[in-house]
């Protein structure tokens, strides 16, 4: 399977805008070369706008809509709203942490997550970031990133906590469906006390209407999730879903229909094989009680 290695789109709005502008140009019967000559804008710039690799301005979009003979006022307003929304999302809450985030392109994932309406997350070894307690997150980051200073670890913990708050706030909270391998419960991160607190947090989180947590028991044996962790992000229509694969230095995303379908099929198999949410909460509570003091 080929991994698509490039910078992620900066916002879901830019992806929607790119799709709408490309569709309007194709409907008009014009080529990029013809449009470039008519409005006197570099063809390469127009191409990057249509692929979502760069943003644009209301002035240029109005010129494009005129070129494509788009006279519907409501349609023009909708497309210009996408331009403004994309501009607004270029000032995200995580920008103040860019020094720590940019080297691993984690800021790219945050941009995608901020625009998502649904997340399907499979984790074989760790509690997902959106469900971690502060102490658990600090232990994970410090142990996985030994090159970081204590201040940098604290910064990444703050990012994780703000991610959680952001996913719960706003007009619509993000739907999260997390499937965890039972190994997550038996790898002690931080200390038994940290783990007990984390299990209690998972039980509480699983009772929220927009959160579903399921556990894959050891008794299942081998399963498709053994390939590794992944997140499927879904967005408001007409933007298609993405699969995010996190690597230590250069995380990547997949967006082809075949890749999306493959990971969706895997996630469906995993949640069908997992304990249901009620059984999962019971298992979490029992495992917490069995931890050494």
């Amino acid at each position: 399977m080929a991994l698509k290695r490039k910078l992620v789109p900066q916002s879901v709005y830019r992806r929607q805008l790119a799709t709408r502008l490309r569709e309007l140009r194709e409907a008009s019967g014009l080529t990029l070369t013809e449009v470039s000559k008519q409005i006197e804008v570099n063809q390469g710039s127009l191409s990057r706008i249509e692929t979502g690799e760069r943003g644009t301005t209301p002035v240029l979009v109005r010129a494009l809509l005129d070129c494509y003979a788009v006279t519907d006022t409501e349609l023009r307003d909708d497309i210009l709203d996408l331009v403004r929304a994309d501009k607004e999302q270029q000032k995200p809450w995580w920008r103040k942490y860019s020094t720590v985030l940019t080297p691993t392109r984690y800021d790219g994932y945050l941009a995608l997550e901020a625009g998502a309406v649904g997340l399907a997350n499979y984790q074989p070894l760790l509690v997902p970031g959106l469900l971690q307690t502060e102490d658990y997150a600090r232990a994970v980051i410090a142990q996985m990133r030994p090159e970081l200073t204590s201040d940098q670890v604290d910064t990444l913990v703050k990012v994780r906590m703000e991610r959680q708050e952001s996913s719960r706030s706003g007009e619509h909270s993000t739907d999260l469906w997390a499937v965890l391998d039972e190994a997550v419960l038996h790898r002690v991160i931080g200390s038994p006390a940290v783990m007990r607190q984390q299990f209690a947090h998972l039980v509480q989180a699983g009772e929220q209407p927009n959160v579903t947590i399921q556990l894959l028991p050891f008794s299942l044996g081998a399963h498709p999730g053994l390939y590794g962790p992944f997140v499927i992000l879904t967005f408001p229509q007409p933007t298609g879903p993405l699969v995010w694969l996190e690597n230590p230095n250069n995380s990547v995303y997949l967006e082809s229909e075949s890749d999306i379908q493959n990971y969706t099929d895997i996630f469906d198999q995993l949640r069908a094989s997992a304990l249901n949410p009620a059984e999962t909460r019971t298992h979490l509570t029992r495992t917490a009680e069995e931890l050494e003091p």
Side-chain angles (χ1 to χ4, degrees):
M1 181 188 304
L3 296 184
K4 190 161 188 176
R5 297 181 180 275
K6 66 179 183 179
L7 286 173
V8 298
Q10 292 301 304
S11 81
V12 64
Y13 304 111
R14 183 175 299 181
R15 296 180 70 214
Q16 291 181 353
L17 176 65
T19 299
R20 300 289 290 278
L21 290 177
R22 184 174 63 254
E23 290 174 346
L24 288 170
R25 177 182 59 77
E26 292 172 348
S28 74
L30 295 171
T31 66
L32 278 173
T33 301
E34 291 169 336
V35 175
S36 174
K37 290 179 180 178
Q38 286 192 36
I39 66 174
E40 298 182 338
V41 172
N42 180 272
Q43 182 176 333
S45 296
L46 292 177
S47 177
R48 288 191 292 276
I49 291 171
E50 285 195 2
T51 59
E53 295 177 29
R54 63 166 292 175
T56 183
T57 65
V59 172
L60 177 54
V61 169
R62 289 191 186 96
L64 289 172
L65 295 177
D66 291 341
C67 183
Y68 304 152
V70 177
T71 57
D72 185 297
T73 303
E74 185 174 350
L75 175 57
R76 291 176 69 98
D77 287 345
D78 285 346
I79 291 175
L80 288 168
D81 282 344
L82 290 175
V83 179
R84 287 185 277 269
D86 176 51
K87 289 288 185 184
E88 186 61 30
Q89 205 170 47
Q90 302 317 303
K91 306 170 185 178
W93 60 262
W94 60 85
R95 175 170 287 183
K96 57 183 176 290
Y97 304 123
S98 60
T99 302
V100 177
L101 297 176
T102 301
T104 58
R105 295 185 179 174
Y106 189 38
D107 51 348
Y109 174 76
L110 293 177
L112 291 173
E113 187 178 84
V117 295
L119 302 169
N121 192 344
Y122 168 67
Q123 280 290 345
L125 296 174
L126 296 171
V127 173
L130 287 177
L131 296 172
Q132 293 178 3
T133 64
E134 186 170 339
D135 288 342
Y136 184 97
R138 179 169 284 102
V140 167
I141 294 168
Q143 292 167 20
M144 291 185 66
R145 301 284 304 278
E147 79 281 5
L148 297 179
T149 65
S150 59
D151 286 344
Q152 289 173 319
V153 171
D154 287 343
T155 296
L156 287 177
V157 171
K158 289 178 183 177
V159 171
R160 195 151 298 182
M161 296 302 104
E162 288 194 39
R163 272 180 65 201
Q164 295 180 12
E165 180 60 31
S166 178
S167 71
R168 293 190 296 264
S169 61
E171 186 176 346
H172 300 290
S173 56
T174 306
D175 289 330
L176 171 62
W177 195 310
V179 176
L180 316 181
D181 194 283
E182 188 174 353
V184 172
L185 309 188
H186 295 281
R187 182 177 299 278
V188 177
I189 304 293
S191 69
V194 169
M195 295 300 290
R196 278 192 292 272
Q197 182 188 43
Q198 178 63 74
F199 294 160
H201 181 70
L202 286 173
V203 170
Q204 184 179 31
E207 294 173 348
Q208 298 175 18
N210 64 312
V211 177
T212 302
I213 302 173
Q214 290 183 267
L215 189 70
L216 279 172
F218 282 146
S219 59
L220 179 62
H223 56 77
L226 295 179
Y227 282 109
F230 60 88
V231 183
I232 304 172
L233 302 97
T234 53
F235 304 95
Q237 292 296 324
T239 301
L242 293 174
V243 173
W244 183 262
L245 304 175
E246 186 175 2
N247 296 316
N249 297 316
N250 188 15
S251 297
V252 296
Y253 74 97
L254 310 175
E255 60 178 347
S256 73
E257 289 186 13
S258 60
D259 285 331
I260 300 300
Q261 189 60 57
N262 182 39
Y263 277 91
T264 299
D265 289 344
I266 290 174
F267 192 79
D268 287 344
Q269 292 177 52
L270 295 177
R271 63 182 181 178
S273 302
L275 302 179
N276 66 40
E279 293 170 334
T280 294
R281 288 193 291 271
T282 299
H283 196 99
L284 285 167
T285 301
R286 185 170 63 247
T287 305
E289 294 171 349
E290 293 172 353
L291 277 171
E292 296 180 3

